Amino acid sequence: MMGLLGNFAFINPMILWGLAALPAIWFLLRITPPAPKLIVLPTTRFLADLIPEKQTSSHTPWWILLLRLLIAALVIIALARPVYNPTEGLAGSGPLRIVIDNGWPSASVWDTEIRAALDLTAQAGRENHEVYILTTAPTQASGKPFAAGPLAAGQAEAIIKGLEPQAWPADYNESSALVTDPSEETFWFAHGIDEGKVAELTAALEKKGDVTYYAPPPEQLPLLLLKEDTIETGFQVSVTAPDKITPGRPVNVQALSSDGAVLDQKSITLDPGTLPVKIKFEIPETVRGDVGSFRIGGQSGAGGVVLLDESSKKKLVGLVGPSDDEDTKPFIDARYYLKRAVEPFAELFQGNVGEILKHSPAVIILPDIAAMPADDLNALETWVKNGGLLLRFAGPVMAKNQGEAFLVPVPLRLGGRSMDGSLTWEEPAKLTEFSSSSPFYGIEIHEDIAVRQQILAQPTADIDERTWAKLEDGTPLITAAPLDKGLLVMIHTTASPDWSDLPLSGAFVEILQRIVGISANPQVALEKSDGFLQPVWVLDGFGALKKPPATVAPVSAADFAKILPSPEHPPGLYGREGFQQSLNISDHIKNLKIAEPGIGVSVRGYGTDYERDLMPFLLYAALVLVLADWILITVLMSGFRAMTKFSSVALVLFFALPAHAQSVKDIEYADGFYLAFIKSGDPSLDTTSLKGLENLADTLHARTSIEPAGVAALDPEYDQLVFFPLIYWPISSAQPMLSDKAIKNMQNYLDHGGTILFDTRDRSYGAGTFSGTTNTNTLRLITSSLNIPPLEPLAEEHVLNRSFYLLNPGHGGGYDPGTIWVETAVSGRDGVSSVLIGSHDWASMWAAGERPGYGAAARVQDLEYRFGVNLVMYALTGNYKADQVHIPHILERLGQ
Amino acid sequence: MEKNKTKKDRIPASAGMALSLRRHAEDSAAHLASLMVEAEKAVVGILHGEHRQRKSGSGERFWQFREYHPGDRPQDIDWRQSGKTDRVFIRQKEWQTNQSAFFWCSRAKGMDFRSDDNLPTKADAAKIITLALGLLMTHSGEEIGMLGSTRKGRSEAALQAIAENLMDETIPGEALPGDKAPRHSALFLAGDFLSPPGDIQPVFKNLSAQSDSGFVIQILDPAEIELPYDGRVVFEEPSHDKQRELVNNVSSIRAEYRHRVAAHIAAVKKTCLDCEWHHVLHPTNRDIKNTLLEIWTTLSLHTQRAGTLPR
C-alpha cells in the first residue's frame, strides 16, 4: 500500500491520479472569463441591446491560472497523505504491544522514550492496530507494573502521556508475568540498562512474537551517583556509567543544601575506561552541616541523587584529656580506642574542657574522669543543660572516687563490680540484644563480647527507663538521662579493653556513631520509639523530593541497611528529627550494565524512525495560496482602495491562530463591570434573566453612576467567576448538578468576596412561612455543598434599604419584608453579605421593562428597579451608606 | 458562554434618532454651506452691481424724470421736481415685469452618481447651478421661487427657502418636473434628463404652455458621456428596478454607446428648441463658472432683445 519515493511515501497514492485532471482544470479556468466588475451607471439603459463590434471577452491573467493550478495540485497531493521518513508498515493487523521501561534509569531518557512510543501509537492509529501497554517498574498502588489494553490509538496516547518514571528499579519478573495479552509484535522502549534479568523478559516477549528493542544512543545512557566516604575537608561522591558511553561526556555534579540551594558545583568528563570517577567537594566547616544532597545536573532521575543523612555529617566530638597525643599509648589508652572509633565519622578534638567548649562540639566524651576543677565542671554543666550530650566512660578512677559522682545519669554504686578474677564466681557477662526502645536497636553484638568489670548503678525505680543497654542478668551497661535540654550518657565500663571487650568490637563504633547521631536533638532519642523509621521525604522518578504518599511504609531500623528501593520504600529520608537515615539508589546498586536483550531481538536506536505526516503542512500552504489569490483578485477587480476595506479581515484570517478565546473574554470581563447570572439549564429562564439584567443595567446607566458594560451568562464549572462582584442565580429544577469543580469555584468565589443572590422565584418566603417548594429544595441541594454563613432576615435598618434609594419594605417598598435573607454579622468584605436568598423572581420583574406614566402600576414596577439599583450599589459599595455620617440625613428623609 | 452586550453609551431610542437627525441636518447644512460657497464663487465673475433694465416701465424703482405729456396720469407728477423748474415732470419708475424665475432640480436616483471622487455628483452640480442662478437673480432684484412651491420672493429669505428646499430629502425624487407651472414664470430646470425623449417631450410641452419661458440645464457625468471603462463589466441602473447589463468587453461597444448618448442629448435639445426654450449641456468636470456665464449671457441677450426674460 505504500510507494516509496526516496524519503517520502504516500499512504493513499491512488489519489495522485487526480493530478492528471490538472490540465483539464487549466483549460476550464482559461476559457472561463473572470468575474465582471460591478459599476453603477445611470445611463445603463443606453447599453441595452448593443451589438458589440466583436465578441471578445477578456481572459484571466495567466499567473492567476498558475496560482489556482498550484492550489489544486497541493490539495490533491495533501489528500494522498504524504509521509516523511516512513517506517515500514506494521506487520499484520493484530494488536501490538508497547513496553516502556520506567525504572529509575529511565528518567534521563524519558522524553525520548515517550516520544518514540507516541509516534508508534500514531502509526498504529493510522494503520488501525490495537495497542497493549506494559511497563517494567512496579507501581505504588499495586506493587505490580502497570499494564493496559487493548486500547485504541487515542486512548493509548493519553495513557502514555500520563506515565512517569519511577524512583525504584524495575521488576522484570513481574513484567514477564503480565505478558498474557494476545499481541504479536512487541516494541520495547528501553533505557539501555540491565536492571535484573532482561533476558527473562525478552524470552517471555519473544514467545509471543517479534521483539524490537530500542536503546538510547551512547550519549544519552543513564548515570549513577554514588556516595563515597566523607573526607576531612568535605565530601566525596563518584559518578559511574555503563561502559558504552561516548568518551568525553561532560557531567555536572552539584552539592545542594537541604533547602535546595546550590552550595558547590563540579564538572567532570566521563570516559569509558576510567569509570567510576571520584569527585571531591571541599566544603568549609561552617557550611558543611548544611549539605543535604548531591545531584547530577540535568534530568538524571533518582539515580543521580544522593541524599545525605546524619551519618554523613561529621560532627565535632570533644575528648577531654591532654591535647597532644604523645602520651596516648596505642592499644592501651582509652583515648586511643575512642579516637580510632570516632574518627571515621566525626571530627575528634582533644583538649581540656575550656578548649573543647570553644569549638561547640556535638558530643563531649569523658573517658574515666572522676574529678575536675570547679569552673570546668560548671562550664560543662551549663553546656549540657543547653542541649549538649555528655558521654562518660567508667574506669578505675571513677570506681575509686569517694565523693559524689557528678554529671551521671543514674546514681552510682561505689566500687566496681568485677566478674573476673579470683574473688568472683561469675562468668564475664554478655550483653543482651538491644531492646526496641533503645537508640541502639539494630546493632548486632558479636557473641564473644563480654564485660568483665563495670560500675554498678543504684537500683532506683526509674532505672529501666534510663537503661539503653543491659547485660544478660539485667544490669544496666549503658544509661542515659536528660539534664534540662541536654543528655547525659554513661557507659559503665571502660573505653579501653581493660574491663570489657566492647571497645574491640565493631559494635563499639556503631554505638558511638549512634550516640553522635543523637546529639543533634538529644531529647528526641528518649522518646519511646517503636524502632520504625517513618518516611520524611521521598524522591519521585525525576529525582525531586516530595512528601511521601500514603503507600510508603515505615522501615524498621534494624532492616534499614538491607532494604532496596521499592514502591513501599522509595529512596528518600526516613526517620525523625535528629535521627534520619537516607535511602539512595546507590546504596545497593553500584554499577550499571548495558542490557543485552539476547539474540532474536532487533535492537534499534531512537530518533531514526519518526514518521512525519506532511498533510497538514501541504494543506496550510494551500490555504496561504488561496488567501493570496483572493487578495490578488480583490486588488485587480476593485483596486487597492477596496483592499483597505477587506485588509483587516484578510489579516485576521491569514494569521488565524488558535485563539485563546477564554483569555480574550476574560480580558473583556476584567475591563468593565458586568452583571452576571448563572445559567440555569432552562433556556427561557436564561433569556428572562438576561433581559431582566439588561434592563437593570439600563436603569443603572440612566440613574446612577454605575455603568455596567453588559451582562454575562456563566457556567460555574468553566467560567472564571472572579470578575463579577454580583452574581444572580435563578433557581430552577432544570439546574444541572454542580460538579466538584463547580462547587470549588463557587466556594472560592464566595470566600474571596463575591456576592450571590439566590432567587427561588416562587415567592415562597412569606413572612414566617417556609414552604418546601421544588425550587427551595433545589436551593438546599446546591447550598448543601457550599459553606453558607448564618443568615437572618433582612432588617429594615439594613444598609441594603438605603444604599441608593430609601426603600420602605412593607410600605410598598419593592419587596415583602422578611422574604430576603442576608448574612448575619459580616466581618470584613466591607460589610457586603456574600449570600442573599430571596424568592421574589426579580428576573421576570426586571425583564418586564419600565412602565411609562405615573400610575400605581408604573410605580410598583419602578420599585422593583429601585431594589435592583440598591442591590447593585450595595454589592459595589458595601456599608458606605451605613456610616454614621449619613444617618441624620437618612432619618430626615425618612421623616423621622 | 454567551454574552449580550449593551452598547457602552446606550441612549434611549428616541434620543438616538433625534441625535442622528441632528447630525444629518448638520451634515446637510455643512454641505449646503459648501454649495453656497461654490455658487457665490461662481457668480462673482458675473455679478457686477445691480442688473437693471435700462428702460422705463411700471416698476417700483425710480428711474428718471420725464416731461409731462398729455395722456400721462396726473398722479405720476412729481411736484417737488416740477417746482424746481417751471416745467412739469413725471416721475418714471423702472420697467418691471411681474415675471418670476422658478427653479427645479431633478431628484432622480441617478443624480447622486459621480464617476470620480474629485468630481461633484450631478445632484450637487445641479444644486450649485440653481443656487448660483438664484443668487444672481436676487442681486438683480428678480423674484425667485421653487417650482412646485408657491413661495416666491426677492429677498435673501427667498434664496434661503430655495436652499432649504434643495436640501430637503423628504421630497420624493422625480426625474421630470411635474405638470404645474405658475403663470408668468421663467423656468430653470436642472437635471440629467436621461428619461426617454418620449417621456420628456409632453412634459416640456405642457410646461411651456403654462409658463413664459424655460431654460434646461442638462447635467451629465463625463463617464456617462464617454464610458471610460474596460474589460468585463456588469452595469447596474441606480433606479428602483436596478436593471443590469452585462458587457463582455466594454471597449468593443464604446463607440456605439457614445453615439447613442449624443443622439439622446440632441433629442433633448431639439425638444427644448421646439418649445422655444434654451438648453445647455454641463458635464460635471466643466467649471461651473463657464456654464453660468453661458446661461447668464444667454439670459441677458434675450432680455435686451425682448425686454423680458427669455421667452
Side-chain angles (χ1 to χ4, degrees), chain A residues 201-271:
Chain A
L201 181 55
T202 49
L205 293 169
E206 276 198 298
K207 277 198 206 120
K208 296 280 183 164
D210 289 331
V211 180
T212 313
Y213 181 89
Y214 287 85
E219 53 268 9
Q220 267 194 309
L221 287 171
L223 306 171
L224 179 62
L225 190 65
L226 302 156
K227 188 166 61 170
E228 301 285 340
D229 300 329
T230 45
I231 49 174
E232 259 189 49
T233 46
F235 301 93
Q236 253 189 140
V237 291
S238 67
V239 178
T240 185
D243 45 12
K244 288 246 180 65
I245 55 163
T246 43
R249 179 168 170 181
V251 173
N252 195 17
V253 182
Q254 298 168 329
L256 304 166
S257 73
S258 20
D259 313 333
V262 177
L263 297 173
D264 198 2
Q265 197 169 284
K266 288 234 170 357
S267 304
I268 53 162
T269 49
L270 294 178
D271 284 314

Side-chain angles (χ1 to χ4, degrees), chain A residues 339-422:
Chain A
K339 237 173 68 160
R340 285 290 298 267
V342 169
E343 264 187 343
F345 61 86
E347 294 257 339
L348 194 64
F349 181 81
Q350 293 186 67
N352 62 22
V353 175
E355 284 166 8
I356 291 178
L357 284 176
K358 276 197 211 127
H359 284 80
S360 312
V363 177
I364 297 185
I365 306 183
L366 295 177
D368 195 20
I369 290 176
M372 57 167 69
D375 344 334
D376 281 352
L377 184 57
N378 286 335
L380 202 56
E381 200 172 331
T382 321
W383 176 83
V384 174
K385 283 190 181 156
N386 282 336
L389 195 151
L390 184 66
L391 176 62
R392 303 197 63 183
F393 282 90
V397 175
M398 270 188 92
K400 287 204 195 92
N401 189 24
Q402 296 299 324
E404 185 77 40
F406 58 89
L407 292 178
V408 283
V410 288
L412 299 173
R413 213 189 230 177
L414 292 175
R417 174 202 189 192
S418 173
M419 287 164 284
D420 197 29
S422 52

Side-chain angles (χ1 to χ4, degrees), chain A residues 383-542:
Chain A
W383 176 83
V384 174
K385 283 190 181 156
N386 282 336
L389 195 151
L390 184 66
L391 176 62
R392 303 197 63 183
F393 282 90
V397 175
M398 270 188 92
K400 287 204 195 92
N401 189 24
Q402 296 299 324
E404 185 77 40
F406 58 89
L407 292 178
V408 283
V410 288
L412 299 173
R413 213 189 230 177
L414 292 175
R417 174 202 189 192
S418 173
M419 287 164 284
D420 197 29
S422 52
L423 290 181
T424 177
W425 56 92
E426 286 178 27
E427 294 283 328
K430 302 226 169 38
L431 283 94
T432 54
E433 269 192 27
F434 296 110
S435 78
S436 59
S437 57
S438 153
F440 306 124
Y441 177 60
I443 299 179
E444 277 186 25
I445 310 209
H446 197 267
E447 51 190 15
D448 286 344
I449 305 290
V451 174
R452 291 178 295 277
Q453 200 166 355
Q454 67 166 122
I455 290 189
L456 292 170
Q458 294 273 22
T460 54
D462 52 359
I463 193 83
D464 265 338
E465 282 168 20
R466 299 189 181 189
T467 308
W468 280 1
K470 286 187 205 172
L471 297 177
E472 277 172 335
D473 57 358
T475 325
L477 184 65
I478 305 179
T479 54
L483 181 64
D484 274 359
K485 286 192 242 172
L487 199 62
L488 299 166
V489 183
M490 178 156 183
I491 302 185
H492 291 250
T493 180
T494 54
S496 62
D498 294 347
W499 285 9
S500 80
D501 298 331
L502 187 60
L504 296 172
S505 71
F508 188 59
V509 180
E510 288 184 38
I511 288 173
L512 285 173
Q513 204 168 4
R514 292 265 178 111
I515 292 176
V516 171
I518 294 169
S519 64
N521 211 338
Q523 302 291 333
V524 172
L526 292 177
E527 287 165 17
K528 288 284 174 212
S529 69
D530 51 0
F532 277 93
L533 298 170
Q534 303 290 337
V536 179
W537 293 104
V538 296
L539 290 175
D540 71 3
F542 290 108

Side-chain angles (χ1 to χ4, degrees), chain B residues 95-122:
Chain B
W95 175 92
Q96 268 184 345
T97 64
N98 50 1
Q99 214 180 58
S100 341
F102 284 91
F103 300 104
W104 176 85
C105 265
S106 167
R107 285 175 196 270
K109 278 256 165 78
M111 288 293 284
D112 288 325
F113 171 76
R114 61 174 159 181
S115 58
D116 192 330
D117 284 343
N118 293 330
L119 298 172
T121 61
K122 292 190 288 183

